[in-house]
Amino acid sequence: MSTHVQKPGWFTVNVFNRAVAWMTRRGLSVWGSRVLAVRGRKSGEWRTTPVNLLTVDGAQYLVAPRGHVQWTHNMRAAGGGELRLGRNVDAFTATEVTDDEKVPLLRAYLKRWKAEVGVFFKGVGPDSPDADLRRIAPDHPVFRITIAR
């Protein structure tokens, strides 16, 4: 498994993520944003971060554009979490997608959010060949989520 991680800068942590999370907590989704809550794999405490919820053919996915970051490790350990938008809280289970299955999902993710996250994909974009998307797939965890009804 890849160990690729691209840590966010000061502006992202202290301004952008906080602004998106603040709006999302108040029920204003920014391009599909949600606040992801996952139990910490060591502490058991809830950890939160803003994410983009991707929907492809009726299925929902979470993509980690920055790589194998803390929320992805916690998601693997917990097997799910919560997606929050305002007062709406959706508990879900998560299944990690294989690298071969990621190609159309990464393409859809980049098509929607390339302006925001394209820099994390090593020059690969939504119009890149499948081989390029497959090459970067190990660096970007993708989870299919199933909302618990």
Side-chain angles (χ1 to χ4, degrees):
M1 173 171 50
S2 170
T3 58
H4 171 76
V5 174
Q6 185 153 356
K7 295 193 182 232
W10 182 90
F11 182 81
T12 299
V13 170
N14 294 294
V15 178
F16 186 76
N17 280 358
R18 286 184 183 183
V20 171
W22 184 86
M23 289 186 290
T24 304
R25 281 193 303 271
R26 279 146 188 82
L28 300 170
S29 177
V30 181
W31 282 84
S33 67
R34 300 291 187 277
V35 172
L36 169 66
V38 180
R39 294 242 182 225
R41 63 194 179 282
K42 297 175 185 172
S43 69
E45 299 292 321
W46 284 104
R47 304 294 182 198
T48 60
T49 191
V51 294
N52 294 320
L53 181 62
L54 174 68
T55 302
V56 174
D57 296 331
Q60 295 180 310
Y61 301 89
L62 294 176
V63 176
R66 291 180 175 274
H68 297 269
V69 294
Q70 294 300 317
W71 74 259
T72 64
H73 298 297
N74 291 338
M75 183 78 75
R76 288 183 190 108
E82 295 177 349
L83 287 174
R84 302 172 180 173
L85 177 61
R87 294 182 182 180
N88 186 42
V89 177
D90 290 321
F92 67 88
T93 58
T95 305
E96 194 158 5
V97 174
T98 67
D99 289 342
D100 289 331
E101 296 172 301
K102 290 179 189 177
V103 170
L105 303 173
L106 291 173
R107 186 179 307 285
Y109 189 83
L110 286 165
K111 189 173 282 191
R112 175 133 182 155
W113 289 290
K114 183 179 182 208
E116 181 182 331
V117 300
V119 68
F120 308 127
F121 289 86
K122 300 177 183 174
V124 175
D127 299 323
S128 295
D130 286 357
D132 288 348
L133 287 158
R134 177 59 181 87
R135 178 178 47 79
I136 65 162
D139 293 340
H140 302 282
V142 177
F143 296 88
R144 181 180 179 146
I145 64 166
T146 304
I147 303 295
R149 297 288 175 203

